[in-house]
Amino acid sequence: MRSFEKSYSILFGRSPKRIALYATSLLLVFAVLKGARQPLAPLLYIGFGGALLLIFLLVDRALINPRRSYYVAVVSTTFVAFFDLVFQKPALSFSLVGGIISATVLQSLKCRTPAYVLPLAVSSLVYYLMGEYYLFVVSLSYIAVLQIMRAVINKMARGLDAMCMFSSFIYAVFAEDDVLEDAFRELGRVEAVPLHVYTIGGRHVVVVSDFHPGPFRHIGGGMLVDYLNSEIEKMGYRFTFLHGVGSHERDPVTSDSVRRIVDAVKSALGSMHNGSPPLGVRPVKLEIGDVKVVGFSIGAPPHLAIVSRVESASDDIPTWVGRRVDAGEYVLVDAQNKFDGAVHWGEEDVVSLSRGLKALHETNVCRSFRIGVGKAYAQHLDPLGYEIGPAGISAIVNDCDGARGLLIVFDGNNLDSALYEQLVKIYEARGYEVVEVVTTDTHRATGVGLGRGYRIVGERIEHSRIVELVERAVSEAERSLAPLPVAYKRVEVVAEVLGEEGFRRIQDTVRIYKKVGLVIAVAVFVIPSLLIALLA
């Protein structure tokens, strides 16, 4: 799935407003330069862009408002002006390029209607009026080319409308909204997924969610952690999110599903009592084969079984793995704390995890148990939340008969290995028997980082400054260490998720894009540009 996230980042890595601003500035420059030799050029570009703008407004005013329509129209027209200038052709000679860009966007808005042909009709009319009859024929032929390519690619994707999804990615550059939900909704299924809700001392909430907080920012559950953090803190609590079992097959695919999850947690909190005296087990860290399991109690069963890897990357606990093991008095938590290594779960890893869980159940129950929680926010270090999101950094300290454990939680998506090792060494030297560092696996910033598709915690922010914030959270947790009452409630939410079949089909589509992506780019963009350069 990292390949999907990496591909997504290419399109979502810049603000659409910024793209539109750059495009507008460049279009003005190109139009002025072109106008030096062809005085009517600026007016021609305004007319072409205006025609595209009008098409988008007429297609669906409710879905694409004037602002978004302008984004698409100005970017499309800027490409036309750029190529006209570079190849020293008359104004609007490359109108087919702008028409194709707009047509591709329209495919995401009206996948099952022929509305996408309208920008190509405009470019065809331009060529007819210019007397460029060869290009008039080429432009008209591209109506058939796009439809044929869509049919071929969709057949390769075994029924998934892959071309429509690709167009949705293009549109998302301009829209920065949930238009992709339509593509994902078709793949999804309705499923009941559990969440585990804990309150500590009546003031701090910990949620272990088997919903995966993805797939991407602005899409489905990509902002799930943000919304939970915001809504729960409005209730007067502080909040920590942990990801449980499931990968992208448990992504909420609609904003309505996210609202259901948030409402269910808020409802659970409204019905939970202040809690009972805390119960815990001794913190323990086990390494069996390529699997590392940390047993950590937060004051009430089920205790946390935090799962990471020794050599492989720590990247989600697949649903099928969760089904194969018996967690018993524990709930599985995805550590998401090691980016390096291959993403792999095999039969031998399932056996190792089962052995680890069995060993956790042999851990001593505490005669005396205390717990403390601290939190620090990182907006001053990361204002945009690319590495550390709004839920900040949580520290949970427990004390079982004098043996202390520490759990550090970053609101991020995976973790720099050097930072992980540094934090573990610091607090083990302070006398903690077990130290574990995890992330929430939020996908709020997926599409920002270059290469991997997102930034991991500690990728760009100075580690020393992160360590200072962690120390602030840990110090607060240590000061609050006490036999605080803890309450627990299991909640099931019925929501639309991507599903294992939908996840598999998307993975297949990504593989198809890898194979035919260059062919698509050549056929849709390169060939028409060359034809125009030769024929205009």
Side-chain angles (χ1 to χ4, degrees), residues 26 85 168 209 309 312 335 359 382 426 482 485 534:
L26 289 172
L85 189 64
S168 297
S209 168
R309 308 303 296 274
S312 299
D382 191 4
I426 288 172
L534 292 172

Side-chain angles (χ1 to χ4, degrees), residues 6 9 23 31 48 54 66 88 106-107 110 143 163 191 203 225 329 344 350 363 407 447 469 495:
K6 184 186 297 184
S9 73
F48 181 76
L54 182 62
Q88 293 296 300
L106 271 176
Q107 278 192 328
K110 295 291 182 181
I143 296 174
M163 199 67 180
E191 188 174 326
R203 60 185 296 270
V225 181
E329 289 295 307
H344 171 74
V350 175
T363 306
L407 175 61
L469 273 185

Side-chain angles (χ1 to χ4, degrees), residues 71-111:
Y71 289 173
V72 183
V74 73
V75 169
S76 300
T77 308
T78 299
F79 273 100
V80 175
F82 171 74
F83 284 115
D84 288 344
L85 189 64
V86 168
F87 287 95
Q88 293 296 300
K89 299 293 183 179
L92 299 186
S93 292
F94 281 84
S95 59
L96 177 57
V97 174
I100 290 174
I101 293 172
S102 293
T104 305
V105 172
L106 271 176
Q107 278 192 328
S108 73
L109 300 176
K110 295 291 182 181
C111 284

Side-chain angles (χ1 to χ4, degrees), residues 445-466:
T446 299
V448 172
L450 298 177
R452 64 173 62 92
Y454 51 89
R455 294 181 193 167
I456 61 176
V457 178
E459 181 174 336
R460 296 193 184 180
I461 303 174
E462 291 182 19
H463 291 186
S464 60
R465 302 188 71 187
I466 295 176

Side-chain angles (χ1 to χ4, degrees), residues 168-367:
S168 297
F169 279 121
I170 297 292
Y171 173 65
V173 172
F174 308 103
E176 200 173 33
D177 66 4
D178 56 0
V179 67
L180 273 175
E181 286 186 1
D182 291 336
F184 283 106
R185 187 183 289 112
E186 293 186 10
L187 301 172
R189 52 169 291 178
V190 175
E191 188 174 326
V193 177
L195 298 98
H196 305 269
V197 183
Y198 302 79
T199 62
I200 301 172
R203 60 185 296 270
H204 198 101
V205 175
V206 176
V207 171
V208 181
S209 168
D210 280 1
F211 284 103
H212 182 263
F216 312 113
R217 63 185 177 127
H218 308 300
I219 309 300
M223 302 291 282
L224 175 61
V225 181
D226 285 39
Y227 293 145
L228 279 169
N229 181 69
S230 174
E231 292 300 311
I232 290 174
E233 293 201 341
K234 285 179 185 176
M235 297 174 70
Y237 297 99
R238 291 200 295 177
F239 174 69
T240 299
F241 181 94
L242 295 168
H243 175 224
V245 175
S247 183
H248 286 277
E249 69 273 8
R250 278 187 167 166
D251 285 336
V253 294
T254 65
S255 54
D256 180 64
S257 294
V258 174
R259 281 192 293 270
R260 288 187 188 182
I261 297 166
V262 174
D263 289 344
V265 173
K266 291 170 65 177
S267 178
L269 291 172
S271 64
M272 292 171 72
H273 54 78
N274 290 331
S276 304
L279 299 172
V281 293
R282 191 181 185 93
V284 62
K285 181 181 292 187
L286 304 168
E287 289 187 8
I288 303 173
D290 192 25
V291 175
K292 180 168 68 175
V293 185
V294 172
F296 193 92
S297 179
I298 56 174
H303 312 296
L304 307 183
I306 304 168
V307 181
S308 58
R309 308 303 296 274
V310 178
E311 298 296 334
S312 299
S314 176
D315 193 322
D316 298 335
I317 305 169
T319 306
W320 71 266
V321 173
R323 295 195 194 104
R324 294 280 301 278
V325 299
D326 181 9
E329 289 295 307
Y330 286 79
V331 58
L332 297 178
V333 174
D334 164 34
Q336 197 79 14
N337 62 2
K338 183 176 182 292
F339 189 85
D340 303 324
V343 179
H344 171 74
W345 276 94
E347 289 297 325
E348 68 280 6
D349 302 314
V350 175
V351 172
S352 296
L353 178 56
S354 295
R355 289 173 57 195
L357 291 170
K358 183 178 180 181
L360 290 186
H361 284 83
E362 299 171 359
T363 306
N364 294 331
V365 177
C366 309
R367 294 187 300 275

Side-chain angles (χ1 to χ4, degrees), residues 1 7 37 40 81-82 88 113 127 169 173 206 252 262 325 328 378 391 401 404 418 457 470 495 508:
M1 198 58 186
S7 302
R37 293 188 176 183
L40 290 178
F82 171 74
Q88 293 296 300
T113 72
Y127 291 134
F169 279 121
V173 172
V206 176
V262 174
V325 299
D401 302 328
R404 287 192 176 188
V457 178
V470 171
D508 290 344

